[in-house]
Amino acid sequence: MPETAFHHTSHRVDIAAPAGVVYGLVADAVRWPLFLTPTVHVEALDLEGADQRLRIWALACDDVTSWVTRRTLDPAARRIDFRQEVPGPSEPGVTGSWVVEELPEGSSRLTLRSALPASATRTTPASWLERAEHDDLLALLADLKHLAERWATLDEQIVAVEETLRVDGPAELAYDFLYRIENWPAQLPRLTRLDLVEETPGIQQVRMDLLADDGRTHTARGVRVCFPHGGRIVYKLVEPPASTVAQAGEWSVEPDASGVTLRGRHQAVLRCPDGPSGTEPRTESGRGAGPEVGRMLGRDSAAVLGLARRYAQSAVRVITPKP
């Protein structure tokens, strides 16, 4: 049986941050959707010590793709080896490694090596693969550099909100409302327009216009991954409103013996006004954005959950015959 040929690449970036910090950001893949531009969602399938199995959804050339990756973590060597699983057991996937080296004066070097099977070009144009790999890896390394160099204030820039609501109605109907996002603009005053593309069932790309409290309209673009059997919808705004540089979250429908709990979890990374990039560490002028963004997230989440409850409970009353 002939050996598989691979296309090898290597990218590296020097980072003004401790090697341990950089390794920690790479190792914590579940938080990548909030921090790394191409990553939409990471689902932990198996976390057994140093060995991990993850399903990752990401944007590549504006298309949403997903795969399962096995990773082996070596904190002592600051190295993570990964191997992409593919549907066919005889077909090799992408393999590679993350390596963090300690440099003088507290800085570090992050190197990402990958090997792409040459056979992949038989079904996918080579130019697309090369462009997607090059552009997305550069964006990934740039994000990690930006995060690591601001690690001391990173937690202060994150706003987290969770809203819950009890529902006396079927979980299926509540989930149906959360899934059918194209119907939201008629019921949410702040959402003035929404365009939905769902070429693959359960993978939704949306572009929407949001009305801010000051009367201005902001356009946001997001990706939603829907899990109907688990009653969950995870999302990421790849182009969030102006007040944040990233936003991700989850809607969930959780039935129990006495009813249903609707839950909305949302996290956002604040956009701070200091510096030309708009994402420099916060000064006194940036601290007020956190409560405001938190209130906005909580208000919008509560409004959506309230509409889902009304939809589920109203439908039950309509189909229940009068005595």
Side-chain angles (χ1 to χ4, degrees):
M1 186 173 179
E3 293 186 1
T4 301
F6 285 85
H7 171 63
H8 294 270
T9 64
S10 180
H11 297 76
R12 71 182 188 184
V13 62
D14 289 350
I15 302 174
V21 169
V22 177
Y23 176 83
L25 289 171
V26 178
D28 192 6
V30 175
R31 297 186 77 191
W32 283 7
L34 187 62
F35 296 136
L36 305 185
T37 301
T39 310
V40 172
H41 178 60
V42 177
E43 192 87 357
L45 303 178
D46 189 11
L47 300 177
E48 283 291 333
D51 295 321
Q52 299 182 341
R53 190 164 175 262
L54 308 169
R55 176 170 285 279
I56 300 173
W57 286 261
L59 281 170
C61 297
D62 287 333
D63 292 328
V64 181
T65 184
S66 71
W67 64 92
V68 174
T69 291
R70 288 188 178 273
R71 307 199 313 168
T72 301
L73 280 62
D74 186 345
R78 298 194 185 98
R79 178 186 178 101
I80 300 174
D81 295 316
F82 61 86
R83 175 172 59 85
Q84 177 183 331
E85 293 183 352
V86 292
S90 62
E91 300 177 36
V94 177
T95 62
S97 62
W98 298 89
V99 179
V100 183
E101 303 171 72
E102 190 171 356
L103 298 180
E105 300 181 359
S107 61
S108 57
R109 175 170 295 158
L110 174 62
T111 302
L112 172 58
R113 300 185 180 93
S114 62
L116 175 72
S119 59
T121 60
R122 295 174 187 168
T123 56
T124 307
S127 59
W128 185 93
L129 281 171
E130 292 169 359
R131 186 172 72 253
E133 180 186 43
H134 178 76
D135 293 349
D136 291 343
L137 290 184
L138 289 181
L140 197 63
L141 292 172
D143 285 346
L144 286 167
K145 175 180 172 67
H146 181 87
L147 286 167
E149 292 181 347
R150 290 151 181 80
W151 67 274
T153 59
L154 184 59
D155 287 342
E156 298 176 9
Q157 293 178 241
I158 299 173
V159 176
V161 170
E162 178 171 336
E163 297 283 336
T164 62
L165 195 62
R166 292 290 291 174
V167 177
D168 183 16
E172 295 80 5
L173 290 178
Y175 181 86
D176 185 66
F177 178 88
L178 297 174
Y179 176 78
R180 298 182 184 279
I181 191 174
E182 69 273 18
N183 296 330
W184 291 9
Q187 304 175 68
L188 292 169
R190 243 175 51 82
L191 184 56
T192 60
R193 182 187 65 88
L194 186 143
D195 298 325
L196 170 67
V197 176
E198 189 172 356
E199 296 178 350
T200 301
I203 306 294
Q204 301 177 333
Q205 295 201 53
V206 298
R207 185 177 292 274
M208 49 194 169
D209 289 342
L210 299 167
L211 186 64
D213 291 340
D214 60 8
R216 293 184 295 177
T217 298
H218 301 283
T219 299
R221 185 167 70 97
V223 177
R224 306 198 331 155
V225 182
C226 306
F227 303 94
H229 297 296
R232 299 169 57 226
I233 298 173
V234 298
Y235 75 90
K236 174 175 179 174
L237 296 187
V238 294
E239 295 177 10
S243 57
T244 60
V245 294
Q247 185 176 323
E250 174 180 334
W251 304 100
S252 63
V253 180
E254 305 165 10
D256 55 44
S258 59
V260 175
T261 297
L262 303 183
R263 194 179 309 274
R265 298 186 182 94
H266 315 278
Q267 286 186 301
V269 181
L270 298 176
R271 181 184 301 278
C272 301
D274 310 326
S277 68
T279 56
E280 298 300 318
R282 285 186 296 169
T283 63
E284 198 64 34
S285 60
R287 289 201 178 99
E292 181 181 344
V293 170
R295 284 193 297 270
M296 179 192 69
L297 291 174
R299 180 186 61 194
D300 291 350
S301 181
V304 171
L305 296 180
L307 289 169
R309 177 172 67 176
R310 186 175 70 180
Y311 177 81
Q313 295 182 166
S314 298
V316 170
R317 285 195 293 270
V318 168
I319 64 176
T320 301
K322 295 182 179 180

